[in-house]
C-alpha cells in the first residue's frame, strides 16, 4: 500500500491528513466527543484536532496516528513516503493466544497501514529530512523485521542523500512474535544510527507515549537531541515487570518524560504545540546554515 | 547419594535412580529376589535416560541452560584464559559485578573478554545480581570495547543472563540508554568480535554484548527476545504456558542457525554441559580460536563493514520495495 | 531607600549615604542650618565614592565578583542570545542545574553556550547549588562539547562558580574524573572556544569549561587556583588573611593578562557590573562576536592545534633542558 | 641537577637507589626502625626496604620516594631521566606564611631533587616507556609550572618516540603558590594526555597515597588503565574541605582506593608487591605483541 492509497483509505476517517502532495483537513462531524482519560472532561473531536490532540482542559497528550504525526511535523506538501510496501512476514509461524498473521491482518485493517512505522522524505523548517513516525495502534508499534528494516533504511537513505533524520517513537518494544529476528533489529537499527552519526548528519528523536523496551534501548535514544512529549512513559522494562521483580509499588511519575528529564535522559519535555518549531530550530543548528 | 539439582523434566528419571540407589543399599545376598528387580530397573533407567536426554525440547533446553551447575563465564575465563587482568568500573558510577570485563589471553591470543557473570552459590549470586546487569555494567563493557578497539584487541564475549535488571534504579540511571550505547559501539568497533552463548541469552541485556562477527552457541543454551515465561504471561495471561511459548520463540541454538543468526553450535554431553564441563570448555576454546583465526587477517575498517552487512541481512519481511 | 547588598569595603560609603538620606528626609526649609551639612556630606560622599571604587584591590574585586546583583550566566543568555534551546542531562545520571548547556545564537552566530549557573535568589540558588557543579553537570557539558564539534558550532562559555562542589556524592560519582574528561575534551574540540569570566572563577570547576582559544574577563571577575579564604586557611591557618592572599594569588583579570592567560579585559562601570548590566552585556557581546569572527576562518584541525600551542606556552619554569 | 648528581647526593641515604645505569642497594644500618602508622608495630628499616615499604605486619603501604618508585618499576638499568633541570621559578613572588622560594629550597634540600616529579625513558617488562613518578615529600608533590611542564613533556616524548606512558601519581593538588599558572597546568597536561590517546599509545597510571585535587582531576585519571595502591586516598576535594562544607563526618574509608574501586573509578587496587608485574602485563596487552 503506498502512502496515497493509505491516505485514500483513510479519507472517511476523522484525522487530518496529507493526501499525496496536498495538506487536507478531513471533515470532523459535529458533536463527536471523547472523554479525556486524564481529567475525565468531555472534549469535542473538532477541538481535539485543532489542538493537535492535546486536551484543552488539562493538557493531556492523546495518542496520534502516523498520518497526524506527519501532518504535524512535515512542512506542508513535502512528505513523500518510501518503502511503503515493506511489511511483516510470519517467519516463525508464530501462534500465541492467536496466530501472528491474524494480529497483523487486524492491525492492517484497523490502522489502514501496512506496518507500524511510516518513513519518507520530507522537509522540516525547510531542511531536507527523512521523517519516520511510529503508530502505536499497530500491534503496539512493536519492532519486528519490517519495522527494523524500515528504520534502518531511513538512516541509510538519509546518509545517501545527506539528510537529517527525525523520528517519532512509540512502541511497546520488540515484536516477540518474530523471536530473535525481532531482537536483532535492535542491533541493526543501532548500527544504522551509528553510521548516520559517523557521517555527522543530525538525528532528532521525539519520544511519544509509550516508548519502551527494545525501541528505547536501540535507535530511539541514540539521537543527537532527544525530546519527549509531556507525560510520555519511556523506559526499558515495563512498570508491571518491575513491580513483579522488586515486589513493591513504583513511585508516582516513574518513567514519565518529566522523570527522565530530572534524571538527565532527555534534552527536554516539549508540549506538542511547540514540537514542530522546536525540532525545526534544532535542525537550524545542526543541519548547518540558515533555513532555505 | 550426593544431592543434586533436578530439573523438572529429569524428575521421573531421578526418582528411578533414587529407587535403584535404595535397592542397592539392601543386602542383595540376603534378598536374592531383588537381584532381578535391580537388573530390570537398571535397564529401565538406561532406556529412560536415552529418551529423557536424547532429544530435548526447547523448554527442556531452557531448563538445562539455567542449571545451577552449568559452567559459567567465570569458569570459562579461569579455564580458557591466562594472564587475566580484570577491568573494573564505568568510571562514573560503580562497578557492576553482573558483568565482567578483562584483558585475557586465549591460546596465546590477547583479547578483551566480556561476559555476564552469574554466581556459583547464593552469596555470589546476590553480589552478581544473578547475572542481571545494571546500566553501569553495560557502561563498563562499553569502556572495555573502546579499549579493545584503541589497541587492536579482538573481543570475546560470553552470554549468560536472564536479562538486564528490571528495577527502579536501573531505569533511573538509563538502562535503555546504556544498552543502546553498547549496541552502537559494539556494532562499530574495528576489531573482531566473537560471541559465545553459554547459558541464558535474555533479551536486550544479552544482546548488548551478544552480537558480532561470529556467534557460537552451546547446544543447550538459548537466546530469546523474551523469556518463555514472560511471553506466556503477556500472550496467554498464563505463565504456565512457558513450555509452549519456548517452542514458538525459536530460541534454541539449532533454530537460530536456521534463522541465520547463529554460526555454529557446540554439542554438549548427554544431560548438559555440567555433566562434563572440561569437554565443553575445550570445544569452546577450539571454536573461539578458530573464529579469531579466521577474522585475524581482516583490515579494521573491513571488519566493521562486514559486521554491518551481517546485521543488515537479519530479518524476514514481506512486500519489500514499493 | 531600597535596601541593597553592601560589600564589606563599601560600608563607610554606605553609612554616609544612609546619613544623607536621613538628612534629606528632614524638612530643610525648617532646618536651614542643615543645608550646608547636606552639601558637605554630598561632597564627602563624592570623594569617598572615587576612592572606594577608583582602584579596587584584588580582595575588593573578589567581593564585587560575588555581588548577588551581579549579572549572571542566565542574564547573559537571556540578553545576548536568541533561539535558545537548552540541552538537559548527562544521559546517565541526572541534570545538574548548576551548569547550563544550550544551543544559542549570538548576533546571528549559531553556537553552543555553556555556563555555570548561580541563582537570583535563595530558592534558585539552592536548586542550582550556588553554581557549584556535580560530576553530572560536567558530563552534560562534555556532551554539549561533543555535539558542538560534530556539527561545527563554536563554543561560548560563561565562567561563574565558587568551584566544583566538594561533597560526598560528588566524590562518589567521580568529580575528578568528570573534570579531567572535560579538560581533555575541551582541549581537543575542533571548533572555536571563547570563554568569558563574568564573576567567580573557582579552581578546577571553573577550568572545566574555562579555557579555549580566547579568554575574556570582566574587570572585577576573578580566576584562581584556590579561593583566597581557603588559601589563607591552609597557609596561615587563618581565613582572616583572605584579603592578603587575594593579593598574592594574581587572580584579577589584569594580573592574568600579565601572566599571558587572559586575552582581554572588559571594563566595568564604577562600583561593578551590577550598576549598569546593560552596558556590560553589550560590551561582552561585542568582544565575543569579535573573537568568534577572528576564529571563524580557521580549519577545524588547526583550531585545536593552536589551542594546544596556546596551553603549551603557559607556565614559568627555571632550569629548563638539562 | 641531573639524575646521577641526584643519586650521588642521596648515596648516604638509606633508600635503594638506581645509580647511573646500575641498580645499587644502599646499606641500611642495623637496628634503625620505624613505627607503622597503621598497626603501630615496629618495623626494621631493612625489612621495610626488602618488603617494598609495605608493613610486614599489616600490609600498610608506606610512602615511597621517587627513586624507590623508579627502582620498583623500571627494568634494572633502563631508566634514564630527562628534563632533570626543569624546576620551579617563583613567578608571582609568592609569600604565604613563608616565601615560596624558601619552601622550594627546603624541599630541594630535603628530597635531594629539583622538583616533585622525575621523568625518564625506561623499559618495563621490556616495553619502552616514559616513566614518571611524583614524590609527595616535595611540597606535597603539588603541580606548578614545572611539574606540569615535565608531565606534558613526558607525554610529548612518548608520542615522538612511540612509547607507552606509565605515571605514578601522588599529589596534594595544584601548587597554589603559582596561582593560575598552576591551575592551567591541569588543562595543559590533560591536553597532552589526550594527544597520547589520539596516537593510540598506552597510558597506565598508578594512584599512590595521596592523589588529590588538580592532579586527580587532570592527567592522573585520563589513563587507559588506572591502578591504585591499597589504602591510597584519592579524590578531588580534600576530606577536611568536604567536612567543612557538608558539616558532617565522612564515612570510614571515604576516598580510599577500595572505595573508588567500589564506585567504578579505578580498574583495580594492586598491592605494591604485584604492581610491577601487573603494569608489565597491561603493557603486554596494550603496547602490542610479545615482550621483547
Ligand atoms: Zn484532560
Ligand atoms: Zn603495620
Amino acid at each position: 500500500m503506498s502512502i496515497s492509497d493509505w491516505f485514500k483509505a483513510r479519507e472517511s476517517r476523522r484525522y487530518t491528513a496529507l493526501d499525496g502532495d496536498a495538506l487536507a483537513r478531513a471533515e470532523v462531524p459535529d458533536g463527536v466527543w471523547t472523554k479525556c482519560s486524564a481529567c475525565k472532561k468531555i472534549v469535542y473531536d473538532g477541538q481535539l484536532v485543532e489542538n493537535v490532540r492535546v486536551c484543552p482542559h488539562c493538557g493531556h497528550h492523546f495518542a496520534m496516528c502516523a498520518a497526524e504525526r506527519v501532518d504535524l511535523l512535515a512542512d506542508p506538501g513535502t512528505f513523500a513516503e518510501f518503502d511503503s510496501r515493506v511489511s511483516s512476514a510470519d517467519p516463525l509461524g508464530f501462534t500465541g493466544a492467536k496466530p501472528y498473521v491474524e494480529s497483523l491482518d487486524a492491525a492492517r485493517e484497523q490502522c489502514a497501514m501496512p506496518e507500524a512505522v511510516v518513513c519518507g522524505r520530507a522537509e522540516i523548517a525547510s531542511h531536507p529530512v527523512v521523517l519516520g513516525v511510529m503508530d502505536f495502534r499497530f500491534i503496539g508499534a512493536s519492532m519486528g523485521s519490517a519495522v527494523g528494516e524500515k528504520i534502518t533504511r531511513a538512516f541509510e537513505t538519509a546518509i545517501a542523500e545527506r539528510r537529517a533524520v527525525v523520528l517519532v517513537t512509540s512502541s511497546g518494544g520488540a515484536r516477540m512474535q518474530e523471536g530473535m529476528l525481532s531482537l536483532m533489529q535492535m542491533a541493526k537499527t543501532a548500527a544504522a544510527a551509528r553510521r548516520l552519526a559517523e557521517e555527522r548528519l543530525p538525528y532528532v528523536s521525539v519520544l511519544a507515549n509509550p516508548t519502551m523496551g527494545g525501541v528505547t534501548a536501540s535507535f530511539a535514544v541514540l539521537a543527537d537531541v532527544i525530546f519527549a512529549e509531556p507525560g510520555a512513559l519511556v523506559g526499558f522494562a515495563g512498570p508491571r515487570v518491575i513491580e513483579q521483580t522488586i515486589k513493591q509499588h513504583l513511585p508516582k511519575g516513574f518513567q514519565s518524560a518529566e522523570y527522565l528529564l530530572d534524571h538527565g535522559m532527555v534534552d527536554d519535555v516539549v508540549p506538542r504545540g511547540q514540537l514542530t518549531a522546536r525540532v525545526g530550530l534544532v535542525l537550524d543548528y545542526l543541519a548547518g546554515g540558515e533555513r532555505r | 547419594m550426593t544431592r543434586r539439582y533436578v530439573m523438572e523434566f529429569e524428575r521421573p528419571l531421578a526418582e528411578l535412580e533414587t529407587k535403584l540407589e535404595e535397592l542397592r543399599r539392601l543386602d542383595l545376598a540376603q534378598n536374592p529376589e531383588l537381584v532381578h528387580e535391580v537388573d530390570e530397573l537398571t535397564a529401565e533407567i538406561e532406556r529412560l535416560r536415552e529418551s529423557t536426554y536424547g532429544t530435548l525440547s526447547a523448554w527442556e533446553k531452557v531448563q538445562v541452560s539455567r542449571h545451577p551447575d552449568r559452567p559459567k563465564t567465570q569458569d570459562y575465563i579461569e579455564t580458557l584464559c591466562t594472564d587475566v587482568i580484570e577491568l573494573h568500573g564505568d568510571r562514573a558510577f560503580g562497578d557492576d559485578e553482573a558483568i565482567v570485563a578483562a584483558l585475557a589471553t586465549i591460546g596465546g591470543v590477547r583479547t578483551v573478554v566480556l561476559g555476564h557473570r552469574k554466581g556459583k552459590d547464593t552469596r555470589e549470586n546476590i553480589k552478581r545480581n544473578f547475572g542481571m546487569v545494571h546500566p553501569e555494567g553495560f557502561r563498563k563493557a562499553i569502556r572495555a570495547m573502546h579499549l579493545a578497539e584503541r589497541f587492536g584487541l579482538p573481543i570475546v564475549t560470553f552470554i549468560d543472563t536472564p536479562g538486564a535488571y528490571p528495577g527502579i534504579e536501573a531505569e533511573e540511571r538509563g538502562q535503555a540508554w546504556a544498552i543502546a550505547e553498547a549496541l552502537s559501539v559494539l556494532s562499530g568497533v574495528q576489531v573482531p568480535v566473537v560471541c559465545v552463548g553459554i547459558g541464558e541469552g535474555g533479551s536486550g541485556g544479552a544482546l548488548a554484548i551478544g552480537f558480532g562477527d561470529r556467534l557460537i552457541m552451546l547446544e543447550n543454551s538459548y537466546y530469546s527476545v523474551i523469556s518463555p515465561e514472560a511471553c506466556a504471561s503477556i500472550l496467554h495471561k498464563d505463565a504456565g504456558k512457558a513450555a509452549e511459548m519456548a517452542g514458538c520463540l525459536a530460541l534454541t541454538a539449532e533454530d537460530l542457525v536456521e534463522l541465520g543468526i547463529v554460526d555454529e553450535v557446540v554439542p554438549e554431553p548427554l544431560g548438559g554441559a555440567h555433566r562434563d564441563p572440561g569437554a565443553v570448555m575445550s570445544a569452546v576454546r577450539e571454536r573461539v580460536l578458530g573464529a579469531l583465526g579466521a577474522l585475524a587477517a581482516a583490515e579494521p575498517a573491513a571488519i566493521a563493514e562486514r559486521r554491518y552487512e551481517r546485521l543488515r541481512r537479519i530479518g524476514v519481511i514481506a512486500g519489500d520495495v514499493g
Side-chain angles (χ1 to χ4, degrees), chain A, chain B:
Chain A
M1 191 183 276
S2 73
I3 186 89
S4 60
D5 293 344
W6 164 49
F7 278 112
K8 223 169 281 160
R10 288 179 51 268
E11 240 162 37
S12 60
R13 293 165 200 251
R14 63 174 188 274
Y15 310 121
T16 72
L18 179 73
D19 192 358
D21 284 340
L23 185 72
R25 294 208 168 265
E27 289 299 305
V28 180
D30 283 345
V32 179
W33 54 266
T34 304
K35 191 171 175 180
C36 172
S37 58
C39 70
K40 312 296 179 199
K41 287 190 183 141
I42 297 299
V43 193
Y44 288 97
D45 283 8
Q47 235 182 335
L48 208 49
V49 168
E50 272 313 306
N51 209 30
V52 291
R53 300 211 160 262
V54 175
C55 172
H57 307 300
C58 73
H60 172 70
H61 282 54
F62 286 74
M64 265 186 148
C65 73
E68 285 173 311
R69 284 280 176 201
V70 168
D71 191 8
L72 178 71
L73 285 168
D75 294 352
T78 63
F79 185 78
E81 195 189 9
F82 53 68
D83 292 325
S84 62
R85 295 194 192 181
V86 173
S87 68
S88 292
D90 178 20
L92 308 188
F94 192 93
T95 305
K98 74 174 164 189
Y100 179 37
V101 285
E102 283 180 24
S103 304
L104 282 171
D105 285 344
R108 284 170 188 148
E109 169 61 23
Q110 187 212 337
C111 308
M113 49 194 285
E115 249 309 329
V117 65
V118 171
C119 299
R121 294 174 187 85
E123 291 185 10
I124 294 180
S126 299
H127 296 285
V129 302
V130 168
L131 173 61
V133 295
M134 303 181 84
D135 193 319
F136 193 75
R137 299 169 305 156
F138 197 105
I139 316 185
S142 51
M143 177 159 66
S145 300
V147 169
E149 181 67 22
K150 291 184 81 168
I151 295 288
T152 302
R153 289 191 193 177
F155 288 116
E156 291 176 339
T157 302
I159 293 169
E161 301 175 8
R162 306 293 304 167
R163 288 168 181 266
V165 172
V166 176
L167 298 180
V168 183
T169 63
S170 176
S171 174
R175 189 170 293 171
M176 61 186 123
Q177 295 90 337
E178 296 187 23
M180 275 298 286
L181 291 172
S182 146
L183 189 73
M184 294 303 293
Q185 304 307 312
M186 290 172 64
K188 184 165 121 183
T189 54
R194 182 182 189 82
R195 294 202 145 196
L196 187 88
E198 282 168 357
E199 295 287 333
R200 298 194 178 210
L201 290 165
Y203 168 26
V204 180
S205 72
V206 178
L207 310 178
N209 184 54
T211 300
M212 301 299 292
V215 164
T216 318
S218 63
F219 66 90
V221 301
L222 291 171
D224 297 301
V225 174
I226 305 177
F227 293 133
E229 286 200 333
L233 188 80
V234 180
F236 179 65
R240 249 167 308 170
V241 174
I242 298 174
E243 285 189 334
Q244 279 163 18
T245 306
I246 64 172
K247 315 237 185 308
Q248 60 185 81
H249 286 294
L250 295 173
K252 204 172 166 315
F254 181 68
Q255 294 184 320
S256 69
E258 295 74 16
Y259 167 97
L260 290 173
L261 182 63
D262 274 356
H263 286 90
M265 299 301 155
V266 299
D267 284 297
D268 215 347
V269 175
V270 182
R272 198 177 282 160
Q274 302 167 22
L275 191 58
T276 308
R278 190 77 74 93
V279 171
L281 189 50
V282 169
L283 293 175
D284 286 349
Y285 281 94
L286 306 190
E290 300 302 301
R291 300 183 194 213
R292 288 195 302 190
Chain B
M1 185 192 181
T2 57
R3 285 190 62 81
R4 60 179 176 87
Y5 178 87
V6 176
M7 294 176 282
E8 188 189 285
F9 71 93
E10 284 180 322
R11 263 179 228 156
L13 181 62
E15 276 161 24
L16 292 193
E17 285 173 335
T18 307
K19 201 169 163 191
L20 181 63
E21 291 281 327
E22 280 165 8
L23 281 178
R24 281 191 172 142
R25 252 176 284 140
L26 301 174
D27 189 342
L28 290 187
Q30 294 197 340
N31 302 277
E33 75 285 4
L34 291 182
V35 172
H36 177 65
E37 207 167 319
V38 165
D39 286 350
E40 276 209 333
L41 196 53
T42 306
E44 197 185 333
I45 285 173
E46 208 38 61
R47 280 193 303 276
L48 190 56
R49 184 172 285 140
E50 266 318 302
S51 71
T52 300
Y53 298 124
T55 320
L56 296 182
S57 72
W59 179 236
E60 287 164 349
K61 287 185 174 183
V62 169
Q63 290 172 59
V64 176
S65 79
R66 293 169 177 171
H67 195 291
D69 298 337
R70 193 171 175 81
K72 301 190 179 57
T73 294
Q74 201 59 28
D75 300 313
Y76 285 90
I77 291 178
E78 281 166 16
T79 310
L80 270 55
C81 302
T82 55
D83 288 353
V84 177
I85 300 182
E86 190 173 344
L87 305 169
H88 290 279
D90 65 345
R91 296 202 182 157
F93 184 84
D95 182 45
D96 187 344
E97 301 199 28
I99 213 161
V100 58
L103 300 168
T105 304
I106 307 178
V109 184
R110 303 243 183 247
T111 72
V112 165
V113 164
L114 297 172
H116 304 98
R117 191 154 57 173
K118 293 179 174 176
K120 275 192 302 288
D121 48 41
T122 308
R123 195 190 56 83
E124 250 187 33
N125 257 321
I126 287 168
K127 266 180 62 180
R128 296 176 181 173
N129 201 29
F130 299 84
M132 291 183 284
V133 183
H134 278 76
E136 47 276 19
F138 295 118
R139 293 190 177 113
K140 170 167 68 176
I142 291 167
R143 192 167 73 77
M145 292 173 196
H146 283 305
L147 192 75
E149 181 172 45
R150 268 167 56 59
F151 297 106
L153 301 168
I155 297 170
V156 176
T157 81
F158 295 100
I159 308 164
D160 188 16
T161 179
Y165 188 65
I168 292 180
E169 296 210 326
E171 295 292 317
E172 220 167 70
R173 298 198 291 270
Q175 188 71 288
W177 278 253
I179 293 173
E181 185 66 20
L183 297 179
S184 166
V185 173
L186 191 55
S187 78
V189 285
Q190 300 193 342
V191 290
V193 178
V194 175
C195 306
V196 190
I198 57 171
E200 295 193 84
S203 188
L207 188 68
I209 61 166
F211 70 98
D213 306 310
R214 194 96 191 150
L215 178 48
I216 300 162
M217 275 181 76
L218 296 205
E219 187 185 350
N220 297 318
S221 66
Y222 80 89
Y223 204 162
S224 181
V225 65
I226 187 169
S227 76
E229 292 93 332
C231 182
S233 289
I234 293 171
L235 294 184
H236 291 283
K237 320 281 173 217
D238 176 7
K241 301 234 174 181
E244 187 187 316
M245 286 301 97
C248 293
L249 283 165
L251 47 66
T252 69
E254 207 180 334
D255 294 335
L256 295 172
V257 168
E258 218 164 291
L259 289 176
I261 292 170
V262 165
D263 300 288
E264 33 184 330
V265 181
V266 180
E268 297 186 28
L270 208 68
H274 56 287
R275 298 295 180 99
D276 188 355
V280 170
M281 288 199 248
S282 101
V284 167
R285 182 211 306 266
E286 202 177 295
R287 305 297 182 106
V288 168
L289 286 176
L292 289 174
L295 294 161
E299 281 300 306
I303 287 175
E305 183 62 34
R306 254 189 279 160
R307 188 179 313 129
Y308 186 78
E309 291 310 326
R310 192 177 144 88
L311 279 174
R312 199 61 200 80
R313 281 191 301 271
I314 299 178
V316 176
I317 55 174
D320 215 334
V321 198

